[in-house]
Amino acid sequence: MNGKKTITLSVIFSIIRKRLIFFCFLIFALALLAIWKGGDALRAQQIKNLHGEMVGQLDQLAGVLEGAIVKYQNMPTLLASNDRVKKALRDGSAADIRQLDRELEQINRITEASDSYIINANGLTIAASNYQKKTSFVGNNFSFRPYFKDAMEGKAGRYYALGTTSNRRGYYFSYPVYDGAKIIGVAVVKVDLTQFEKRFNNQSYEFLLIDPDGIVFSSSRVDWLYHLLGELSYHELQRIADSQRYKGKDIQKLAIVYSKQLDEKSNIVDILEEVSSDHDQRSLGRHSYLQMTRPIQLLNFQVSILAPLKTINEEIALWRAIFAGGVTITALLFGLAMLRTRMLRERSDANEMARHNQAYIREVIQNTQAGLVTLDSAHRIESFNPAIEHLMGQPLSPLVGEPLNSLFKPLNKQGESLNQAQDVVLKTDELGVKVITMEGSLCYSQHSSIPVEMTLCEMQLPNRRSYLVTFHDMTERKRYEQEITHARNALEERVRERTFELENANALLRQEIEEHKGTQRELIQTAKLAVLGQLSAGINHELNQPLTAIRAFADNGLKFLDRNNHQQAYANLQHISQLGHHMSDIIARFKVFARKGDVQPAPVSVSTAIKGALRIMEARYKEVGIELELADHDEDLIVNGDMVFLEQVLVNLLANAADAILEKERTIKHVVIQQSASQEQVTICVKDSGDGLSEEALKHLFEPFFTSKRSGSGLGLGLSISQRIVEAMGGQIQAQNQAKGGAEFCVTLPRYQTSLNRKGES
């Protein structure tokens, strides 16, 4: 009987033990589930708090971007109305364009824009603020850019792209330049966005600037640039490539492996990123972010900030690990039999942890460098930490129980008293706004006023409402702001002074240039008259011959009239008329040659210019017995130049060749004029059979007043003036000795490109 009771009790205890074990495991599983769900709830709350903090950051970032960009959108309109811009587009003179380059460069320094430039109606950039840089836009054609096309249609253009020349991302504003009712060009201002990236690089969050196609155009992370956040079809990607907006960049999708929407403007996203290990080996890591997005209406872009959730996730994971470990250890050590003891111990541990936390919080408050003040529900001072007493330099214990107004005064520019600000806080509690920040000063006595930034927030305490006020000393910041203001004012004054000096220097330079041009014209005219003086004997000979013939024909004509031989007298009169025309041609050639004026570029026949020079020099060459040869003569060669000035240069070269031959008695007196041409230019060479040029003469040949002739044979201005004339026509003049003896002077001028030639080249 006793054995049966023992067996029965053993079975009962076994059943109870199994049920207790099952119950223990059930409680353990429920505890783990509660820990997991509690972690989710805590994580959601922390993300919610982070969301509230990041709203202001997102608005600030968007405001900075809009404010920084909007100040440049009217610059193209101002440039388009500039008279110098219109003059450079109409006339295109090198002096006006260089002055415009310097003005654009100065405007960029003042406005801190990236680049500004002027494009003509064909899309060619004629002036730019970066004209001195290797990446200058001058000479580049941007007719394919949409901002150019919009401006040429009379609209203000906007565009964003990676620069094809500078390889820098920017936002472009453009505006048409009108000459009356006609659009003659486009003014463009480029804003470089890298300055904003540098400004926001050291924030606690990452930011993205996303274009209308969903492509990252600007970011605090370089490896996220030109990545796609959404989906694009093949045709859309091809359209972006054809526009050269991103200059051949490989558009890839950002590695977002998880996305969960919180509301209309925020998401939780996980992104795969490269991470480096201890052995410099790279691998992929998964990082979570709170993404918040809002549009920027001015740019038609969207701006996003991505706040990392790494700290929150690590805290939740640690929290879960701690509590799950505690539950597991407790379940293994104590079991169901020690449940009450474990519960009491946990309660004791919780009380001890609470005391430890209180002591820890107390130490943090006592040792923090920021001034802390706690307020009760009526905004009266309850307590403060030593930092604020150190900041004020005196004890503040008499302020306990006093309103915050007795310690803190807001700035006058806020337009409201502290009590009104507190009322705003109380009213906005219903809307979920728990924090306000304002600037002011700590004014405990009349002799102390310390500028501070005050942050007031509600503390989540059980059974009562309290507030925590944080004060940050702004003395150094205010001093820095004052110094920056003084420095900016001084810089503006220096810019004004320097601008005035530059304007005076430019006026003096323009005056000197005009005087130099007048002197140059007089020297050219002097050289012409000197050549005519040298040719005066030949001119007399040219005119004496026909005059002698005219007298002979006239005397004979009178005799024929006396004899009534009218037919022969008529023939003599015809000869006299022809000789008169011949003399008129001779005088006209020398009259045109002696004409004053500036170089007027126009299509000039090389053959006609050579023949004109030969007619002037013909008498002298015949007189001294110099043989003249035209080699490779081409009647169809045309250059861009001035007929009179080109004849003057050739006459000067032919005269120098004759002087070189006549310096010594020679049996061979020979001068060759040779032509050669390429697709772009024409070369005219004058070769003589003289002794050639010395090394000293070759070094100084084109310098004013240098001459290798005998004393009294010339001023040494002919070749110097000829060089200036040729350069004014866009060409160059060179001299060298021939291998077989004698000197060779070659004039190279740009070949005139007719419309037929252009079609053939294209």
Side-chain angles (χ1 to χ4, degrees):
M1 188 69 179
N2 290 334
K4 290 183 178 179
K5 286 183 178 180
T6 302
I7 294 172
T8 303
L9 290 173
S10 176
V11 171
I12 292 172
F13 283 124
S14 175
I15 294 171
I16 294 173
R17 186 166 58 252
K18 289 180 179 179
R19 290 184 177 181
L20 288 174
I21 292 172
F22 173 78
F23 185 68
C24 182
F25 275 104
L26 179 61
I27 293 176
F28 177 69
L30 292 174
L32 291 179
L33 180 62
I35 291 171
W36 186 262
K37 292 296 183 182
D40 287 343
L42 182 59
R43 181 174 183 270
Q45 182 60 42
Q46 291 185 348
I47 290 175
K48 183 179 179 181
N49 295 339
L50 179 62
H51 183 282
E53 295 173 4
M54 298 310 294
V55 168
Q57 300 283 357
L58 179 60
D59 291 339
Q60 180 187 8
L61 174 60
V64 169
L65 282 172
E66 289 180 335
I69 295 294
V70 73
K71 68 179 183 180
Y72 298 111
Q73 68 177 349
N74 292 322
M75 280 183 59
T77 307
L78 297 176
L79 286 176
S81 62
N82 189 296
D83 291 335
R84 188 174 296 280
V85 172
K86 296 180 180 180
K87 184 178 181 183
L89 287 169
R90 283 195 307 264
D91 304 336
S93 68
D96 288 335
I97 291 176
R98 292 288 74 79
Q99 180 65 24
L100 180 56
D101 284 336
R102 291 189 288 271
E103 286 189 7
L104 293 175
E105 183 183 33
Q106 184 179 7
I107 290 171
N108 269 36
R109 284 198 302 269
I110 296 173
T111 62
E112 299 180 348
S114 173
D115 298 294
S116 54
Y117 46 102
I118 306 301
I119 305 174
N120 66 17
N122 296 321
L124 187 68
T125 304
I126 64 167
S129 59
N130 60 359
Y131 71 98
Q132 292 182 326
K133 299 181 180 178
K134 293 181 179 179
T135 57
S136 172
F137 296 160
V138 176
N140 290 318
N141 194 298
F142 297 113
S143 59
F144 64 93
R145 287 297 198 192
Y147 63 76
F148 173 80
K149 297 177 181 178
D150 289 344
M152 291 303 295
E153 293 175 1
K155 300 180 291 186
R158 291 183 179 181
Y159 191 64
Y160 60 95
L162 179 66
T164 57
T165 302
S166 63
N167 202 31
R168 294 162 59 189
R169 288 166 286 118
Y171 200 91
Y172 301 82
F173 294 98
S174 65
Y175 198 82
V177 180
Y178 285 94
D179 184 12
K182 181 182 178 183
I183 297 176
I184 60 173
V186 177
V188 186
V189 173
K190 175 183 177 183
V191 184
D192 187 359
L193 296 182
T194 56
Q195 56 180 308
F196 308 119
E197 295 174 358
K198 293 178 182 177
R199 181 173 180 180
F200 290 97
N201 265 352
N202 298 323
Q203 301 296 325
S204 60
Y205 57 82
E206 309 291 349
F207 79 87
L208 303 174
L209 190 60
I210 306 164
D211 73 8
D213 291 318
I215 299 173
V216 178
F217 187 66
S218 177
S219 174
S220 55
R221 292 279 298 272
V222 177
D223 54 337
W224 286 356
L225 289 174
Y226 316 117
H227 280 71
L228 183 63
L229 267 66
E231 298 287 346
L232 289 179
S233 66
Y234 171 81
H235 296 292
E236 291 173 324
L237 291 172
Q238 188 62 42
R239 168 179 57 80
I240 295 172
D242 293 341
S243 69
Q244 301 186 43
R245 172 169 286 158
Y246 294 114
K247 198 181 179 182
K249 294 291 184 181
D250 187 14
I251 307 300
Q252 298 182 358
K253 189 174 181 181
L254 191 64
I256 299 177
V257 296
Y258 172 80
S259 178
K260 178 183 178 182
Q261 185 172 1
L262 296 181
D263 53 35
E264 293 181 356
K265 297 182 179 179
S266 58
N267 299 277
I268 300 293
V269 295
D270 288 357
I271 302 177
L272 287 180
E273 301 175 59
E274 279 192 355
V275 294
S276 56
S277 63
D278 296 336
H279 305 287
D280 290 335
Q281 294 180 349
R282 294 193 171 275
S283 59
L284 291 178
R286 183 167 175 166
H287 296 85
S288 297
Y289 296 90
L290 170 62
Q291 180 187 14
M292 301 181 65
T293 305
R294 61 159 286 181
I296 300 181
Q297 301 297 339
L298 175 64
L299 306 180
N300 196 23
F301 276 32
Q302 286 190 325
V303 61
S304 287
I305 58 175
L306 286 84
L309 301 180
K310 181 179 179 181
T311 303
I312 293 177
N313 291 338
E314 288 177 351
E315 289 178 356
I316 298 303
L318 180 61
W319 184 86
R320 284 173 172 165
I322 291 173
F323 279 89
V327 171
T328 302
I329 293 171
T330 302
L332 292 175
L333 293 178
F334 296 98
L336 186 59
M338 302 297 294
L339 181 60
R340 182 176 178 81
T341 303
R342 182 178 62 79
M343 292 177 62
L344 292 174
R345 186 174 298 172
E346 285 182 355
R347 186 177 301 165
S348 175
D349 290 344
N351 292 334
E352 181 63 26
M353 184 176 291
R355 287 193 298 273
H356 174 75
N357 288 340
Q358 290 176 356
Y360 177 77
I361 292 171
R362 190 180 306 111
E363 287 298 317
V364 170
I365 292 173
Q366 294 296 322
N367 292 285
T368 186
Q369 297 302 308
L372 300 178
V373 174
T374 59
L375 308 177
D376 59 16
S377 58
H379 300 90
R380 293 188 297 267
I381 297 175
E382 281 187 332
S383 63
F384 46 82
N385 68 339
I388 193 168
E389 288 186 321
H390 178 73
L391 184 62
M392 296 297 296
Q394 55 186 321
L396 302 179
S397 54
L399 292 179
V400 175
E402 297 294 327
L404 191 55
N405 280 338
S406 60
L407 177 63
F408 174 73
K409 304 296 182 185
L411 287 178
N412 293 332
K413 66 179 183 180
Q414 295 289 339
E416 54 187 12
S417 67
L418 184 64
N419 288 331
Q420 291 173 333
Q422 292 169 347
D423 292 342
V424 171
V425 175
L426 295 174
K427 292 177 181 178
T428 53
D429 284 346
E430 301 175 359
L431 303 176
V433 179
K434 303 294 183 182
V435 181
I436 63 169
T437 300
M438 63 178 65
E439 293 184 13
S441 58
L442 294 175
C443 303
Y444 179 49
S445 64
Q446 295 180 351
H447 304 290
S448 62
S449 178
I450 301 171
V452 294
E453 181 183 66
M454 185 274 287
T455 302
L456 187 147
C457 64
E458 181 182 349
M459 294 190 292
Q460 303 293 330
L461 298 177
N463 302 325
R464 72 188 187 98
R465 173 176 288 180
S466 296
Y467 297 90
L468 176 65
V469 185
T470 306
F471 295 102
H472 293 280
D473 188 3
M474 295 178 64
T475 304
E476 287 298 315
R477 176 178 164 185
K478 292 296 183 182
R479 183 174 64 83
Y480 290 152
E481 289 177 354
Q482 258 186 341
E483 291 176 355
I484 289 172
T485 300
H486 292 326
R488 184 174 64 249
N489 293 337
L491 179 60
E492 290 176 353
E493 182 62 28
R494 287 179 60 191
V495 168
R496 283 193 293 269
E497 293 175 357
R498 185 58 178 160
T499 302
F500 179 75
E501 293 174 0
L502 289 174
E503 288 176 351
N504 291 338
N506 287 338
L508 291 175
L509 180 60
R510 285 193 294 269
Q511 181 179 354
E512 291 177 0
I513 289 173
E514 290 300 322
E515 293 175 355
H516 175 73
K517 287 181 178 179
T519 303
Q520 181 175 319
R521 285 193 293 267
E522 291 301 324
L523 286 175
I524 291 174
Q525 187 64 19
T526 302
K528 287 183 180 181
L529 296 178
V531 172
L532 289 175
Q534 293 176 358
L535 299 177
S536 59
I539 296 172
N540 291 335
H541 179 72
E542 285 283 306
L543 294 177
N544 279 331
Q545 284 183 337
L547 280 174
T548 302
I550 287 173
R551 284 196 299 271
F553 280 119
D555 292 340
N556 291 336
L558 291 173
K559 293 178 181 180
F560 287 136
L561 288 175
D562 290 339
R563 299 174 184 174
N564 291 324
N565 190 349
H566 296 98
Q567 183 177 359
Q568 191 63 41
Y570 179 77
N572 282 10
L573 290 174
Q574 284 183 324
H575 287 303
I576 291 173
S577 176
Q578 292 173 356
L579 290 171
H581 284 299
H582 177 64
M583 293 175 66
S584 176
D585 289 341
I586 293 172
I587 294 171
R589 285 199 303 272
F590 287 99
K591 185 187 295 183
V592 171
F593 181 77
R595 187 191 69 192
K596 281 187 177 182
D598 295 326
V599 174
Q600 301 294 331
V604 173
S605 171
V606 175
S607 176
T608 303
I610 292 174
K611 290 177 181 178
L614 293 180
R615 282 196 294 269
I616 293 173
M617 294 298 299
E618 184 178 8
R620 186 184 179 194
Y621 270 50
K622 286 181 180 180
E623 181 183 356
V624 296
I626 296 177
E627 180 186 355
L628 185 63
E629 177 188 351
L630 289 179
D632 302 326
H633 190 69
D634 189 344
E635 297 283 348
D636 299 327
L637 292 180
I638 299 177
V639 297
N640 274 330
D642 186 290
M643 177 64 76
V644 173
F645 282 98
L646 180 54
E647 283 186 3
Q648 178 182 348
V649 172
L650 294 176
V651 166
N652 187 48
L653 295 181
L654 290 171
N656 287 346
D659 292 341
I661 293 173
L662 297 174
E663 280 185 354
K664 296 181 180 179
E665 289 296 329
R666 301 179 182 279
T667 57
I668 300 176
K669 299 179 180 180
H670 190 69
V671 174
V672 179
I673 300 180
Q674 187 176 27
Q675 303 175 56
S676 61
S678 66
Q679 194 172 10
E680 301 293 334
Q681 58 191 19
V682 175
T683 301
I684 309 167
C685 294
V686 178
K687 305 177 182 180
D688 63 61
S689 59
D691 288 339
L693 301 166
S694 66
E695 292 294 330
E696 183 69 16
L698 285 172
K699 290 180 181 178
H700 306 286
L701 198 58
F702 296 102
E703 294 180 3
F705 305 107
F706 175 82
T707 179
S708 59
K709 299 177 183 179
R710 294 187 302 272
S711 177
S713 299
L715 297 176
L717 291 174
L719 288 176
S720 175
I721 292 173
S722 295
Q723 184 185 46
R724 293 176 181 272
I725 291 173
V726 172
E727 289 178 350
M729 291 189 291
Q732 57 181 356
I733 183 171
Q734 295 176 326
Q736 62 182 5
N737 288 320
Q738 303 180 75
K740 61 182 180 181
E744 177 184 9
F745 287 82
C746 293
V747 175
T748 302
L749 293 172
R751 188 169 184 175
Y752 178 69
Q753 302 293 334
T754 63
S755 58
L756 183 60
N757 288 340
R758 297 191 191 100
K759 291 179 181 177
E761 292 168 6
S762 62

